[in-house]
Amino acid sequence: MSAKNLIAFTLIAILSISAIFNPYTNQYLGQLKNGYVPVSNGQDELYNQIKEAAEHYRTESQDAKIDRVWKAMPGYNGIQVDEKASYQKMKKNKMFDERKLVFIQDKPKIHLADLPPAPIYRGHPDKPMVSFLINVAWGNEYIPSILATLREHKIYATFFLEGRWVKENPELAKMIADSGHEIGNHSYSHPNMANISNEQVKQELIKTNDIIEATTNITPTWFGPPSGAYRNETVEIAHAQGLKTVMWTVDTIDWRKPSPQALIQRVMSNIHPGAMILMHPTESTAKSLDTLITEINAQNLKIGTVTKLMDEERIIRLDGKQGLKQDETEDR
C-alpha cells in the first residue's frame, strides 16, 4: 500500500470512529429508538407546534399559605407538556391535535397539611371548582329530594352531620354516606364552639366522630363549626383530633326560607372559583338545587367535595386555536 493510500485510509478510519462516538450521533440514535426525531432544525412543523404549546401551557406550582384574609389556602399544581410523549401520540397522523397533549403536574413545595392550624374559607382561586357544604341537624324531609338531584347530576357534596342527629337518624346518615357523599363533623349538640371550654370542644368533636364512624364506617377529616362560631383554640383542638376547620364563602341563608329564585340569585351573584357554598336540607335548597347546579356548570365551574376542592390537582382546560377543552378531574 502506497504512502498516499495509507494516509487516506487512516483519515477515513479516524472520521468513522469520530462519527460513531460523537455525542450527537448517540443522541440521534437514541431519538430514533424512541420513535421521535424532528426532521431537522426547525423543519418538523408538528414538533414545533408541540413546543409552542408546551411554552403556552407551562405554569408554575403555587404553595399553600396562610392568607391575611382567607386564612389557610391550599396549594395548586403547576403543569408542563411532555413533548416526547405528545409527539408519540400525534406522529401517526402527522397532525397537531391539542387533545393529545400529554401533561405532567408539578406539586408545590408547601402543602395544606404543612400549615399551622387555621380555618379554611375557600379553595385555590385559580381552581375552577366549588363545593356544596350541607349542614345537617334538622330538615329530614328534604334530604331524599336533595340526594336525588345530586345523583341525577352526578354531583358529590360534603355533608356536615351533627352527632346527635346521626344517633337519632342512622338510616338517613347511612343513605347520605352510601350515596358517595363526603361526611364532615358538625359537633355533637350544636353549641357555640367559641363559648364552651376546651374540654367541651374536644368532647363534642370526639363524640361526633365516634357516632359517625360507628354508623357509616367513615371517619370525618373536616369540621364545620355550628353557625361558624370558633376561637383559635377551637381550631387547634380540632387540628389535634385530625380535623381541619372549614368555613364558607357563599351563604344561601336558606334557613330564612327564600324563594328558589332569590336563593339562586344570591349564590350566582357571589360565585367564584374556589367558593364553598353553605346550605341546609331546606325546602328552598331542595327546590333550587337543580337550577343552581346547571347555572354553576354554565360558568365553567365544576362541583366537588371539600377534599376534591382542597387537593392540589390542577384542572387542565385547553384554550388554543381549536377551542377544545380537556377536563380529566373527577368531582368527588
Side-chain angles (χ1 to χ4, degrees):
M1 182 182 293
S2 67
K4 183 183 292 186
N5 288 340
L6 181 60
I7 292 171
F9 178 80
T10 302
L11 287 173
I12 291 171
I14 291 171
L15 289 173
S16 299
I17 292 171
S18 298
I20 291 171
F21 292 101
N22 189 312
Y24 295 106
T25 301
N26 291 337
Q27 179 182 357
Y28 180 79
L29 290 173
Q31 290 173 333
L32 278 178
K33 189 179 293 185
N34 292 329
Y36 134 90
V37 177
V39 174
S40 64
N41 294 335
Q43 290 182 7
D44 189 328
E45 182 60 27
L46 171 58
Y47 186 65
N48 286 340
Q49 287 179 296
I50 292 172
K51 287 182 69 69
E52 185 178 340
E55 190 62 33
H56 172 74
Y57 283 107
R58 185 178 294 113
T59 307
E60 296 296 323
S61 63
Q62 299 177 55
D63 289 339
K65 64 179 183 179
I66 300 293
D67 185 80
R68 186 173 61 85
V69 175
W70 298 107
K71 308 304 180 185
M73 293 272 292
Y76 203 31
N77 286 351
I79 54 168
Q80 56 180 307
V81 172
D82 186 327
E83 297 177 17
K84 292 183 180 180
S86 299
Y87 189 88
Q88 285 286 338
K89 291 182 70 173
M90 298 182 206
K91 70 174 184 176
K92 181 178 179 181
N93 294 329
K94 298 179 182 180
M95 288 182 58
F96 178 78
D97 185 344
E98 201 170 20
R99 292 167 298 187
K100 294 182 179 180
L101 288 173
V102 178
F103 291 94
I104 301 171
Q105 300 215 13
D106 303 315
K107 292 186 174 296
K109 294 182 176 63
I110 302 174
H111 311 284
L112 192 62
D114 300 327
L115 301 179
I120 303 168
Y121 283 81
R122 62 177 295 174
H124 196 284
D126 290 344
K127 188 166 187 173
M129 178 181 280
V130 302
S131 285
F132 290 155
L133 318 183
I134 306 177
N135 289 352
V136 183
W138 41 266
N140 295 6
E141 63 268 40
Y142 302 109
I143 289 175
S145 172
I146 288 171
L147 290 176
T149 301
L150 294 171
R151 182 170 59 251
E152 180 182 347
H153 288 274
K154 299 180 180 178
I155 297 295
Y156 297 94
T158 301
F159 284 77
F160 289 86
L161 307 183
E162 182 197 72
R164 181 175 53 191
W165 180 88
V166 174
K167 184 177 180 180
E168 296 171 355
N169 301 277
E171 292 306 316
L172 278 176
K174 282 191 277 189
M175 181 188 298
I176 293 169
D178 290 346
S179 296
H181 299 289
E182 186 167 55
I183 305 297
N185 184 316
H186 193 48
S187 81
Y188 190 83
S189 59
H190 214 271
N192 183 322
M193 300 292 281
N195 292 339
I196 61 177
S197 71
N198 288 355
E199 182 58 30
Q200 286 174 308
V201 169
K202 182 178 178 180
Q203 291 306 313
E204 285 280 331
L205 298 176
I206 291 174
K207 285 177 65 178
T208 303
N209 262 24
D210 285 349
I211 190 68
I212 289 175
E213 185 171 4
T215 305
T216 68
N217 203 31
I218 293 172
T219 302
T221 57
W222 305 107
F223 165 54
S227 305
Y230 70 89
R231 62 182 191 278
N232 290 338
E233 290 84 357
T234 312
V235 178
E236 291 167 358
I237 294 167
H239 186 268
Q241 299 302 316
L243 293 159
K244 286 184 170 57
T245 300
V246 175
M247 301 299 286
W248 61 84
T249 41
V250 180
D251 191 349
T252 60
I253 316 183
D254 51 3
W255 50 272
R256 290 184 180 174
K257 301 180 181 180
S259 69
Q261 190 52 47
L263 187 152
I264 292 165
Q265 173 61 29
R266 179 177 180 81
V267 172
M268 296 311 299
S269 63
N270 292 286
I271 201 74
H272 55 268
M276 295 199 284
I277 304 161
L278 179 64
M279 53 184 64
H280 304 81
T282 65
E283 182 179 13
S284 297
T285 289
K287 288 184 175 180
S288 63
L289 192 57
D290 181 76
T291 301
L292 188 60
I293 291 170
T294 300
E295 293 199 12
I296 289 173
N297 287 336
Q299 296 291 321
N300 288 322
L301 294 170
K302 294 173 69 65
I303 303 169
T305 61
V306 171
T307 292
K308 199 63 186 175
L309 181 64
M310 293 300 143
D311 76 25
E312 297 162 347
E313 183 179 2
R314 181 173 286 268
I315 295 176
I316 301 171
R317 287 179 169 168
L318 302 180
D319 57 4
K321 294 178 182 179
Q322 299 178 45
L324 302 170
K325 292 185 177 180
Q326 171 178 307
D327 195 334
E328 299 177 349
T329 304
E330 295 179 358
D331 297 341
R332 293 182 64 171

